[in-house]
Amino acid sequence: MEFGLSEDQRLIEQSLRGHLADAVDLDLIRRLAADKGGFDADLWAGLCELGLPGLLVAEAHGGTGLGMLEAAVAAEALGYSAAPTPFVGACVMAPLAVSLAGGEEQRRHWLPAIAAGEVRLAVGAGALAGATGTAELSLSGAHLSGRLTGLLDGGGASHALVYLADGRAAIVALDADGVALSARPSLDRTRPLADLDLDDAEAVLLDGADDAPAVARRVLDAGRLMLAADTLGAGQCMIDQAVDYAGQRVQFERVIASYQAVKHMCAEMVANLEPCRSLVWYAAHVQDLDDEAERRVLACLAKAHLAEVGREVARTATEVHGGMGFTDLMGLHFWFKRISYDRQVLGGPERCRQDAARAQGWLAA
Amino acid sequence: MEFGLSEDQRLIEQSLRGHLADAVDLDLIRRLAADKGGFDADLWAGLCELGLPGLLVAEAHGGTGLGMLEAAVAAEALGYSAAPTPFVGACVMAPLAVSLAGGEEQRRHWLPAIAAGEVRLAVGAGALAGATGTAELSLSGAHLSGRLTGLLDGGGASHALVYLADGRAAIVALDADGVALSARPSLDRTRPLADLDLDDAEAVLLDGADDAPAVARRVLDAGRLMLAADTLGAGQCMIDQAVDYAGQRVQFERVIASYQAVKHMCAEMVANLEPCRSLVWYAAHVQDLDDEAERRVLACLAKAHLAEVGREVARTATEVHGGMGFTDLMGLHFWFKRISYDRQVLGGPERCRQDAARAQGWLAA
Amino acid sequence: MDLTYSTKHQELQAEIRAFIEAEGHRSPKFGGGRNRPDQQALDWQGLLLERGYFARTVPTEYGGHGAEPDVLETAIIADEFSRAGISPGLLDVGNLIVVPSLLDLGSEAQCARWVRPTLTGETIWCIGNSEPGSGSDMANAQTKAVAVGDDFVINGQKIWTSGAHYADMMFLLCRTEAEAPKHKGLSYLLVPMDTDGIEVRPLVTMTERPEFNETFLTDVRVPMDQIVMGRGDGWKVAIASLKHERVMLGDPNKQLQRLHGIREMMRETVIDGVAVMDLPEYRDRLLRLQAEVLAAKFHNMRLLTLHDRGEEPGIPGLIQKLYGTTLNHKLSALAIDVLGEAGLPYEPHEFGENDPATAWQIDYMYDIGLIIGGGTSQIQKNIISERGLGMPREPKAVVPPARS
Amino acid sequence: MDLTYSTKHQELQAEIRAFIEAEGHRSPKFGGGRNRPDQQALDWQGLLLERGYFARTVPTEYGGHGAEPDVLETAIIADEFSRAGISPGLLDVGNLIVVPSLLDLGSEAQCARWVRPTLTGETIWCIGNSEPGSGSDMANAQTKAVAVGDDFVINGQKIWTSGAHYADMMFLLCRTEAEAPKHKGLSYLLVPMDTDGIEVRPLVTMTERPEFNETFLTDVRVPMDQIVMGRGDGWKVAIASLKHERVMLGDPNKQLQRLHGIREMMRETVIDGVAVMDLPEYRDRLLRLQAEVLAAKFHNMRLLTLHDRGEEPGIPGLIQKLYGTTLNHKLSALAIDVLGEAGLPYEPHEFGENDPATAWQIDYMYDIGLIIGGGTSQIQKNIISERGLGMPREPKAVVPPARS
């Protein structure tokens, strides 16, 4: 009986963090940022070896069948190292969508390929998340037409999973006729957002869900929670860098870490971020339980809260670095932009809080 | 052409501040706080000699015919010394209401008595200000019945000016039949809030306004602005006290004013409060102009903004004082509570901002 | 992370629910005044101890239930009592600070003598840490205890001794080693309040409620064995007791209750015909605070787990007071804004359940007191940055003179 | 307070409106990139100078309009241009920092030589204050200028020299008196950028835009009369120029424009069928910021009045940079939240009017740069508390060693 990571979860965390510490350095981040594509085959291969894309896929379908807490631990680790790789969409939302909304045959078809890292799905949920972009898809038979902006994990994707406004999900192959995915460089150079144009494109409608909207919300919740965990990791890394830099930078004949103002900036960052870890853990824990309202409330509150705390941490850590934080020299801004990205996709904090209010019956009908 | 107080306005400010410095000390505040009545005849007499109740009354009616900027300067001075005296209702809202909404005869009857300080009006505008209290008055002929809570300046009042929900104003004598005013001790012991119960009470309806609701809003704006100015003065005094205390209090073998954390707390208070002075001045300036929307926007924004800055200043200045700020020993809490009172009466900041949005056409119809 | 209820936990939950159903009516009002517990409160406390819902992990020989630490059990008990609006027992400084400090560092004799009557509410404690000249700088305590024969003779003045006017015992920090350096000369003594030479004077605060005191000690004699640990070990005891104080001040259950209270108030309070809950500018603030409160709740469960595992909590432990007291204040600030004008009438001496205005205004001010007390936020940030993050201590400085 | 428009002001307002009506189409896009002004911008600047809408109070012998200071005139000009979305002229560091510094402290010959071409845009300046080792600690500048014959020979490195890649002149802080104490050894020199030995390298920042540089000076020779004031007077010049920089960084007109931009965006941006302006949780934030922006605007008018009256601004002057840069950042933060997901696509090199996402993201990051640059917020708070409130300076401390 305990609140915290189990031994197994710690091992997963350690092995992933160890791998990322070796595999991702500032040079790689810079290279992929310059490329703006958001995908590196070697990094992806390494993460596949660790089983990342199959984390949530049942063992029967070739995955490891782990839960959302393990996924959150992974997201935090990826955020900590600002790893430029598909994850939230391709390794969490997509396998979850197929597992929960796919028919048996569909699951057997897609999940092993996802778990193996061979099929990589971009994910577009703008129609559900209160996004400010475009989400105009229409279905005719098994063919989709229209435009959807802001897809996650477009970089290196082979397919796209898209949500219709009614909560149904469909998969299209990016190399099929009438399908055009164009990556748009985003503020976070390591994670582009893609726009998808469909012109009578052949689509596979996931057909196994009794209640498609409920599953769609669950997938959206999972995505939001992963973004919260990502911000947690990125924020922690920014704090660590700030404390480290403050211990070296000398101004007025003293290391700036000895100034009370700088110390207190660091203390405030830590005091605000540290409890977020427990919030993310618990929110992840309940995602695997049956209580829909609880899942939604926790995922939305975690997303919104990490967005607010993350923003403060990103700004304060940059300020602690002084001019050096504003330059490109130390690369601190990659984490800064990662936190901005996490805040802005899949619904901003106000929208997430509204969803949490609705799920608790706090909204007038 | 200048943005700032004129020589005359500075003289008014100096003479009032000089008088208050002599007339109001912590002993007086304590005595009146213990009494909870909110009125001291000697203090009132002194302020009458300075012409405070006639400040806004035309010279033809025995006042000095000054404007809202002079009134704001006075409110700031009263806030600075936490003066326990009627002002916002009795010396600003009431004379303004009679001047703008009274018929000629009514003006001739009431204004000289108000200017002389002989008639002192409590003011109840809850029906207009989005107050959370009770505002249930009904008019039958020239008689009023019902209940109104949260009247300002009930202490020592001879009459009450009350607003009906439709914007009409009426005056009742507190010694008349069917009139019962009961002072409720408020958080700010020096300024009670009164509840008024009327049972078929004889009332004088102000009958000179072409557009009673517009005048009512103007009177409300004036009251809100005075509360903003009061907070400005009270906040400034708390900062001054905090800086002074920090220069004397020794912890860890140093005066606490030498700690960067304490210095920065003081710097933040000043940086946030100082621009408020110009906002209050300008907001006061436009109250005497013809542009209704501008009057409303500035008064409401000033009230809301001073409420937010005032709250931060009140808390921070108390924190700088450490335990001493939490005790009664230095009386700092009188200013703290004054700022809370200013925030909570005549509409909280959210409500004031909404009014400002509406006046600018920023609200959906 | 293992929060699934085992059979044991399901049984505990069912047991407590049945208990509350059967006995809940005997509970004193929760969140009542800070006075000496009355007979109803003592009876209730006895019942809770008997059932093991209080002092659950305190050894049985000292009057506790002797259970193994279990964070889920702790959470279940707190949740069920909180949900039902039932008193969870005497959460006074004796139980929250003195008992855990004695169990950590006191002698067996001291534990045997003091833990049980503190649990039952028979013995009420006050804490003698702060002095007028040493608020944040606790190690600067000047109250002196001089060894005379088998006694210490104590002289000095304490401040912020909450409850001193009805307490039986004081947990007193004083200077026993006049010649030792600042941090090495301190000791903690257990002092009966009815000893000759102790005078308690009420200290009026901004809330106007009579909760705090100044306590003057003049030639107060206590036997030398009333010392906790050894002579000069006082700073170690202080560190331990401050840790317990931080936990007490950061208690998330209080925040959860406040959140629920505000939610209800927002449903009931109407501005211009609209419930405040339906005004998004307020509702959004409530949701923000809900996230912070939940973070505090789970953070606390994490700390309990770390404690149970015997791991040092490190940074997570250091931040609790700063986070909790700041959050408390944000909650009461929202409550006051919801109440608006109707939140101003203030009757701190005789307020009751139907007077949320006074209750929230008291909280709003008292919360500032808690931000200041037990180490101001500035001290907390020093501690977090120095002990938690390894940043340099405040450098020794040339002393600027106090202004006259 | 006298803000009523006299006939003179009414005439000025009418005149400017007519001017904008007639000539406004010739204005360059306002708020365009930070590049060397193109011919259109230079022509426009010439027109503004001719009409006296720029450099209105600069003496005519130096190319200005020679008008008496008048805060209302200043406000009318700024308001009318801002309302019409028309460029108010070249608000570069030359005009905002160098010109007022030279008018305050430069020699007549220096004013005669440099003010006019700076006003016209013929001469573009960059500022050489910061060095890699002295960001906040500007007085620690290590760039050396040694007197050799009639010249100074300069060696060192500057950072944050925005515009150095297209500037004609540098306003350079350097150490001329090697033996003097830290603050007494500094001087300002006026250095042509085409002098041999100056190398400018772009400094990439988080925005990715090429705005800043590092500038390396190797045996750069300038005549000794290119010094502002006397040798060792550099710190006085620095204080004066930093004051002008604070004013520039706190400019409220920029904030007003931003506020209007956000307001429009909130009307146009729709989430789930509702305009963001109709979502109170956003609208309330806009109103909060409107109050802060208006406070900044009027505060600035107050400062202009104090300046015109010849009164020392004191605290009101010291807070401007801290307040303004903090507020800028709050504004861009709201803008980004309004844009949401649609605010993420980022094209900093070729963004145009129809790309608010990139424009606001740049602002959001650049604003942090401004909070840091020109004295971080921490330095600003030191200044406010020490110079403004008379609190003690940071005590001299034993130096903690840098960690390896």
Side-chain angles (χ1 to χ4, degrees):
Chain A
M1 293 310 111
E2 49 185 24
F3 190 98
L5 301 184
S6 68
E7 264 316 302
D8 283 353
Q9 288 159 342
R10 288 199 215 194
L11 285 174
I12 292 171
E13 181 177 40
Q14 281 163 19
S15 83
L16 181 55
R17 290 197 174 224
H19 177 75
L20 290 170
D22 292 338
V24 180
D25 59 12
L26 203 50
D27 285 344
L28 178 73
I29 295 173
R30 284 192 192 288
R31 185 160 54 75
L32 289 173
D35 176 59
K36 301 191 184 74
F39 183 75
D40 180 72
D42 289 343
L43 180 59
W44 180 254
L47 294 172
C48 287
E49 267 181 50
L50 285 170
L52 211 61
L55 198 82
L56 296 172
V57 173
E59 290 181 76
H61 294 117
T64 43
L66 293 170
M68 286 293 286
L69 183 51
E70 285 82 2
V73 165
E76 187 189 342
L78 293 166
Y80 191 91
S81 50
T85 185
F87 180 72
V88 175
C91 304
V92 175
M93 294 174 79
L96 211 57
V98 176
S99 299
L100 297 171
E104 200 185 320
E105 203 175 324
Q106 292 174 331
R107 293 204 300 273
R108 244 183 325 195
H109 176 76
W110 293 100
L111 290 175
I114 290 174
E118 290 152 12
V119 161
R120 286 182 301 279
L121 292 109
V123 174
L128 308 174
T132 46
T134 305
E136 290 161 0
L137 295 183
S138 62
L139 185 71
S140 168
H143 286 74
L144 275 171
S145 294
R147 180 170 175 77
L148 188 66
T149 62
L151 278 78
L152 307 183
D153 292 349
S158 61
H159 295 71
L161 174 82
V162 298
Y163 274 96
L164 303 173
D166 64 8
R168 283 183 297 172
I171 295 176
V172 295
L174 295 184
D175 57 5
D177 286 344
V179 176
L181 185 88
S182 52
R184 296 193 62 182
S186 92
L187 177 71
D188 180 350
R189 265 54 181 109
T190 69
R191 291 187 295 177
L193 284 168
D195 294 347
L196 182 66
D197 285 290
L198 299 175
D199 179 12
D200 203 32
E202 201 176 334
V204 176
L205 267 179
L206 297 185
D207 60 7
D210 291 334
D211 183 351
V215 173
R217 283 195 296 273
R218 184 164 185 169
V219 171
L220 177 60
D221 291 343
R224 285 178 170 171
L225 180 63
M226 290 303 114
L227 292 164
D230 191 87
T231 292
L232 173 64
Q236 185 64 56
C237 184
M238 290 192 84
I239 295 175
D240 291 351
Q241 291 187 63
V243 171
D244 195 49
Y245 181 78
Q248 296 175 31
R249 169 78 171 171
V250 173
Q251 289 278 277
F252 304 102
E253 290 96 43
R254 285 163 59 179
V255 290
I256 63 171
S258 73
Y259 288 102
Q260 208 179 20
V262 173
K263 288 162 68 177
H264 285 196
M265 288 164 87
C266 294
E268 285 162 16
M269 288 193 282
V270 163
N272 287 321
L273 191 69
E274 192 60 45
C276 293
R277 183 158 286 117
S278 308
L279 179 65
V280 166
W281 284 351
Y282 186 80
H285 169 73
V286 301
Q287 296 307 308
D288 292 326
L289 305 183
D290 259 344
D291 186 339
E292 179 178 353
E294 183 85 346
R295 285 200 307 262
R296 169 130 280 221
V297 170
L298 266 300
C300 292
L301 289 181
K303 167 82 157 71
H305 186 53
L306 266 296
E308 308 290 13
V309 173
R311 169 175 272 183
E312 281 306 304
V313 166
R315 190 181 78 128
T316 308
T318 304
E319 276 194 58
V320 169
H321 279 79
M324 198 52 66
F326 183 60
T327 70
D328 174 63
L329 293 168
M330 296 183 62
L332 187 75
H333 61 94
F334 289 113
W335 284 261
F336 181 100
K337 292 165 177 171
R338 194 167 179 107
I339 289 171
S340 284
Y341 175 101
D342 290 343
R343 177 187 182 98
Q344 289 177 245
V345 296
L346 298 188
E350 286 81 6
R351 171 58 187 239
C352 289
R353 285 191 289 265
Q354 197 192 63
D355 285 347
R358 185 173 284 116
Q360 295 175 90
W362 292 6
L363 219 61
Chain B
M1 292 310 108
E2 49 183 27
F3 190 99
L5 300 185
S6 68
E7 264 317 300
D8 282 353
Q9 287 159 346
R10 288 201 216 193
L11 284 174
I12 291 170
E13 182 177 39
Q14 281 163 19
S15 83
L16 181 56
R17 289 197 175 223
H19 176 76
L20 290 169
D22 291 339
V24 179
D25 59 11
L26 202 51
D27 285 345
L28 177 74
I29 295 173
R30 285 193 192 287
R31 186 159 53 76
L32 289 172
D35 175 59
K36 301 190 183 79
F39 182 76
D40 179 71
D42 290 342
L43 180 60
W44 179 254
L47 294 172
C48 287
E49 266 179 51
L50 285 169
L52 210 64
L55 199 81
L56 295 172
V57 173
E59 290 182 77
H61 293 118
T64 44
L66 293 169
M68 286 293 287
L69 183 51
E70 285 82 2
V73 165
E76 188 190 340
L78 293 166
Y80 191 91
S81 50
T85 184
F87 179 72
V88 175
C91 303
V92 174
M93 296 175 78
L96 212 57
V98 175
S99 299
L100 297 171
E104 201 185 318
E105 202 176 328
Q106 291 174 332
R107 293 203 301 274
R108 243 181 326 193
H109 175 76
W110 293 100
L111 290 176
I114 289 174
E118 289 152 12
V119 162
R120 286 182 302 277
L121 292 109
V123 174
L128 308 173
T132 45
T134 305
E136 290 161 359
L137 294 183
S138 61
L139 185 71
S140 169
H143 287 75
L144 276 170
S145 293
R147 180 172 173 76
L148 188 66
T149 62
L151 278 77
L152 308 183
D153 293 349
S158 61
H159 296 72
L161 175 82
V162 299
Y163 274 96
L164 303 173
D166 63 9
R168 282 184 297 171
I171 295 176
V172 295
L174 296 183
D175 57 4
D177 286 344
V179 177
L181 184 89
S182 51
R184 295 192 63 179
S186 94
L187 177 69
D188 179 351
R189 262 59 179 102
T190 68
R191 293 187 295 176
L193 284 167
D195 293 347
L196 182 67
D197 286 289
L198 299 175
D199 180 11
D200 202 31
E202 200 176 337
V204 176
L205 267 180
L206 297 184
D207 59 8
D210 291 335
D211 184 352
V215 173
R217 284 194 296 272
R218 184 165 185 168
V219 170
L220 177 61
D221 291 342
R224 284 177 171 172
L225 179 63
M226 290 304 113
L227 293 164
D230 192 86
T231 292
L232 173 63
Q236 185 63 56
C237 184
M238 290 193 83
I239 295 175
D240 292 351
Q241 291 188 62
V243 171
D244 194 51
Y245 181 78
Q248 296 174 30
R249 170 76 171 173
V250 173
Q251 289 279 275
F252 303 103
E253 289 97 43
R254 285 164 58 180
V255 290
I256 63 172
S258 72
Y259 287 102
Q260 209 179 19
V262 173
K263 288 162 66 176
H264 286 195
M265 289 164 87
C266 293
E268 285 162 16
M269 287 194 280
V270 163
N272 287 323
L273 190 69
E274 192 61 43
C276 294
R277 184 159 285 115
S278 308
L279 179 65
V280 166
W281 284 351
Y282 186 79
H285 169 71
V286 300
Q287 297 308 309
D288 291 327
L289 305 182
D290 259 346
D291 187 337
E292 179 178 352
E294 184 85 348
R295 284 201 307 261
R296 169 132 280 222
V297 170
L298 266 299
C300 291
L301 289 182
K303 168 81 157 72
H305 186 51
L306 266 296
E308 308 291 12
V309 173
R311 170 177 272 184
E312 280 307 304
V313 167
R315 188 180 78 128
T316 309
T318 304
E319 276 193 58
V320 169
H321 279 79
M324 198 51 67
F326 183 60
T327 67
D328 174 62
L329 293 170
M330 296 183 61
L332 187 75
H333 61 95
F334 290 113
W335 283 262
F336 181 100
K337 292 166 178 171
R338 194 165 180 110
I339 289 171
S340 283
Y341 174 101
D342 290 343
R343 178 186 181 99
Q344 289 178 246
V345 296
L346 298 187
E350 285 81 7
R351 169 60 185 238
C352 288
R353 285 192 289 266
Q354 196 194 63
D355 285 347
R358 185 173 283 118
Q360 297 176 90
W362 292 6
L363 218 64
Chain C
M1 191 93 131
D2 182 359
L3 296 176
T4 45
Y5 284 9
S6 68
T7 314
K8 182 181 82 168
H9 294 106
Q10 287 167 349
E11 285 171 6
L12 177 65
Q13 190 178 42
E15 175 195 319
I16 295 175
R17 288 184 180 175
F19 169 78
I20 289 172
E21 178 79 24
E23 309 287 353
H25 63 280
R26 295 168 59 184
S27 163
K29 278 274 163 277
F30 191 26
R34 294 171 179 87
N35 300 312
R36 191 164 181 118
D38 59 13
Q39 194 55 48
Q40 185 189 15
L42 293 174
D43 290 347
W44 182 249
Q45 180 75 0
L47 198 56
L48 295 182
L49 283 168
E50 189 187 312
R51 300 295 183 103
Y53 304 151
F54 194 94
R56 190 165 180 86
T57 60
V58 171
T60 47
E61 66 262 40
Y62 301 144
H65 192 64
E68 283 301 304
D70 182 322
V71 57
L72 253 197
E73 287 192 359
T74 311
I76 288 169
I77 296 171
D79 276 359
E80 295 298 330
F81 279 77
S82 161
R83 198 184 308 251
I86 293 286
S87 164
L90 294 178
L91 300 179
D92 57 11
V93 293
N95 279 295
L96 292 172
I97 299 178
V98 178
V99 164
S101 297
L102 286 181
L103 290 172
D104 282 358
L105 303 172
S107 68
E108 222 179 286
Q110 284 165 343
C111 290
R113 169 71 188 85
W114 295 114
V115 171
R116 185 186 303 267
T118 306
L119 298 183
T120 60
E122 182 191 326
T123 300
I124 301 295
W125 293 78
C126 61
I127 305 282
N129 279 345
S130 295
E131 298 184 6
S134 65
S136 292
D137 186 6
M138 217 172 87
N140 194 34
Q142 297 299 324
T143 294
K144 288 194 173 44
V146 180
V148 177
D150 290 342
D151 289 344
F152 283 115
V153 179
I154 311 165
N155 280 282
Q157 181 188 351
K158 291 289 171 182
I159 195 171
W160 304 116
T161 42
S162 69
H165 51 305
Y166 57 75
D168 306 295
M169 292 292 296
M170 179 182 277
F171 194 63
L172 174 78
L173 174 68
C174 56
R175 190 162 295 283
T176 51
E177 319 304 305
E179 306 300 314
K182 186 166 164 180
H183 291 76
K184 307 274 187 187
L186 301 167
S187 301
Y188 267 89
L189 302 179
L190 309 176
V191 183
M193 289 298 285
D194 60 2
T195 316
D196 285 345
I198 297 181
E199 187 197 352
V200 177
R201 292 184 206 157
L203 179 68
V204 183
T205 73
M206 65 195 297
T207 69
E208 300 179 27
R209 302 200 77 203
E211 286 163 338
F212 293 101
N213 306 281
E214 293 178 286
T215 302
F216 298 83
L217 301 108
T218 311
D219 294 333
V220 174
R221 296 182 86 98
V222 296
M224 292 193 73
D225 63 359
Q226 294 294 65
I227 194 167
V228 182
M229 299 186 73
R231 288 178 62 154
D233 288 338
W235 191 241
K236 286 180 212 163
V237 181
I239 297 285
S241 76
L242 283 176
K243 195 178 73 184
H244 296 302
E245 185 171 5
R246 275 201 297 274
V247 171
M248 174 182 80
L249 294 176
D251 177 21
N253 285 306
K254 190 168 150 192
Q255 291 153 5
L256 277 167
Q257 278 164 345
R258 285 188 176 197
L259 190 79
H260 295 158
I262 298 173
R263 186 195 61 201
E264 289 312 310
M265 204 161 63
M266 285 176 62
R267 285 178 166 154
E268 289 157 14
T269 308
V270 170
I271 301 182
D272 287 338
V274 182
V276 174
M277 183 58 100
D278 295 329
L279 297 171
E281 58 270 54
Y282 292 92
R283 188 180 58 222
D284 194 56
R285 273 175 75 187
L286 181 70
L287 271 295
R288 276 175 190 256
L289 293 178
Q290 186 183 29
E292 294 188 37
V293 168
L294 290 176
K297 173 183 167 177
F298 303 130
H299 184 72
N300 193 53
M301 289 172 74
R302 179 178 167 211
L303 280 175
L304 290 173
T305 298
L306 287 172
H307 184 262
D308 291 353
R309 285 178 181 170
E311 294 180 26
E312 270 304 312
I315 287 176
L318 295 176
I319 63 163
Q320 207 176 14
K321 195 239 162 181
L322 177 65
Y323 188 87
T325 54
T326 308
L327 179 51
N328 282 342
H329 193 254
K330 291 184 204 171
L331 287 162
S332 49
L334 172 57
I336 285 175
D337 288 349
V338 169
L339 286 165
E341 205 157 36
L344 278 177
Y346 188 66
E347 304 279 8
H349 298 288
E350 57 265 15
F351 75 104
E353 272 186 280
N354 294 321
D355 182 5
T358 297
W360 282 112
Q361 293 284 8
I362 288 175
D363 276 343
Y364 183 65
M365 292 184 283
Y366 199 80
D367 288 341
I368 294 181
L370 294 182
I371 286 173
I372 292 167
T376 64
S377 289
Q378 285 62 54
I379 298 291
Q380 299 301 325
K381 291 176 195 171
N382 283 351
I383 291 173
I384 294 165
S385 57
E386 292 168 11
R387 282 192 232 154
L389 300 172
M391 299 176 87
R393 297 179 64 83
E394 190 68 18
K396 280 286 164 200
V398 181
V399 185
R403 278 189 281 155
S404 58
Chain D
M1 189 92 131
D2 182 359
L3 295 176
T4 45
Y5 283 10
S6 68
T7 314
K8 185 181 80 167
H9 293 106
Q10 286 168 350
E11 285 170 7
L12 178 66
Q13 189 178 42
E15 177 197 317
I16 295 175
R17 287 184 180 175
F19 168 79
I20 289 173
E21 176 79 23
E23 308 286 355
H25 63 281
R26 295 166 62 184
S27 163
K29 279 273 165 281
F30 192 28
R34 294 172 179 87
N35 301 311
R36 192 165 178 114
D38 59 13
Q39 193 55 48
Q40 186 189 15
L42 293 175
D43 290 347
W44 181 250
Q45 180 76 359
L47 198 56
L48 296 182
L49 284 169
E50 191 187 312
R51 300 296 182 103
Y53 305 152
F54 193 92
R56 192 168 179 83
T57 59
V58 172
T60 49
E61 66 264 37
Y62 300 144
H65 192 63
E68 284 299 304
D70 181 322
V71 57
L72 253 196
E73 287 193 358
T74 312
I76 288 169
I77 296 171
D79 275 0
E80 294 298 328
F81 278 77
S82 159
R83 197 184 307 252
I86 293 286
S87 162
L90 295 178
L91 299 179
D92 56 11
V93 293
N95 280 295
L96 292 173
I97 298 178
V98 179
V99 163
S101 297
L102 287 181
L103 289 173
D104 281 0
L105 304 171
S107 68
E108 220 178 290
Q110 286 166 343
C111 290
R113 169 73 188 84
W114 295 114
V115 172
R116 186 186 302 268
T118 307
L119 297 182
T120 62
E122 184 191 324
T123 301
I124 301 294
W125 293 79
C126 62
I127 305 282
N129 278 345
S130 294
E131 299 184 5
S134 64
S136 292
D137 187 8
M138 219 171 86
N140 194 34
Q142 298 298 324
T143 293
K144 287 196 173 43
V146 180
V148 178
D150 291 341
D151 290 344
F152 282 113
V153 179
I154 311 165
N155 280 282
Q157 181 188 351
K158 291 291 170 179
I159 195 169
W160 303 117
T161 44
S162 69
H165 51 304
Y166 57 75
D168 306 294
M169 294 290 297
M170 179 182 277
F171 194 64
L172 174 77
L173 174 68
C174 57
R175 188 162 297 281
T176 53
E177 320 304 305
E179 305 302 314
K182 185 168 167 181
H183 290 77
K184 306 275 187 185
L186 302 166
S187 301
Y188 267 90
L189 302 178
L190 309 176
V191 183
M193 289 299 286
D194 60 2
T195 315
D196 284 347
I198 298 182
E199 189 198 349
V200 177
R201 291 185 206 156
L203 179 68
V204 183
T205 73
M206 64 195 300
T207 70
E208 298 180 32
R209 303 202 74 204
E211 286 163 339
F212 293 100
N213 305 281
E214 293 179 285
T215 301
F216 297 84
L217 302 108
T218 312
D219 294 335
V220 175
R221 297 182 84 98
V222 296
M224 290 193 71
D225 64 358
Q226 293 295 64
I227 194 167
V228 182
M229 299 186 75
R231 289 178 61 156
D233 288 339
W235 191 241
K236 286 178 213 164
V237 181
I239 296 285
S241 77
L242 284 176
K243 194 179 71 183
H244 296 302
E245 187 172 4
R246 274 201 298 272
V247 171
M248 176 181 79
L249 294 175
D251 178 20
N253 285 305
K254 191 169 151 191
Q255 291 153 4
L256 277 167
Q257 280 165 343
R258 285 187 175 196
L259 189 79
H260 295 159
I262 298 172
R263 186 196 58 201
E264 288 313 307
M265 205 161 64
M266 284 176 63
R267 286 178 166 154
E268 289 157 15
T269 308
V270 170
I271 301 182
D272 287 338
V274 182
V276 175
M277 183 59 102
D278 296 329
L279 297 170
E281 56 271 53
Y282 292 92
R283 189 178 59 222
D284 193 57
R285 272 175 76 185
L286 180 70
L287 271 295
R288 275 174 190 258
L289 292 177
Q290 185 182 32
E292 294 189 38
V293 168
L294 290 176
K297 174 184 167 178
F298 303 129
H299 185 70
N300 193 53
M301 290 173 73
R302 178 179 167 211
L303 280 175
L304 290 173
T305 297
L306 288 172
H307 185 262
D308 292 352
R309 286 179 182 171
E311 292 181 28
E312 271 303 316
I315 287 175
L318 296 175
I319 63 163
Q320 207 177 14
K321 195 238 163 182
L322 178 65
Y323 188 86
T325 54
T326 308
L327 178 52
N328 282 342
H329 194 255
K330 289 186 206 170
L331 286 163
S332 49
L334 172 57
I336 285 174
D337 288 349
V338 169
L339 285 164
E341 204 156 35
L344 278 177
Y346 188 66
E347 303 279 7
H349 298 289
E350 57 265 12
F351 75 104
E353 274 184 279
N354 294 321
D355 183 4
T358 299
W360 281 113
Q361 293 285 6
I362 288 176
D363 275 342
Y364 183 65
M365 292 183 284
Y366 198 82
D367 288 341
I368 294 181
L370 295 183
I371 287 172
I372 291 167
T376 63
S377 289
Q378 285 63 54
I379 297 292
Q380 299 301 325
K381 290 176 195 171
N382 282 351
I383 291 172
I384 295 166
S385 57
E386 292 168 12
R387 284 193 232 153
L389 299 174
M391 299 176 87
R393 297 179 63 84
E394 190 68 17
K396 282 287 165 201
V398 181
V399 186
R403 278 189 282 157
S404 58

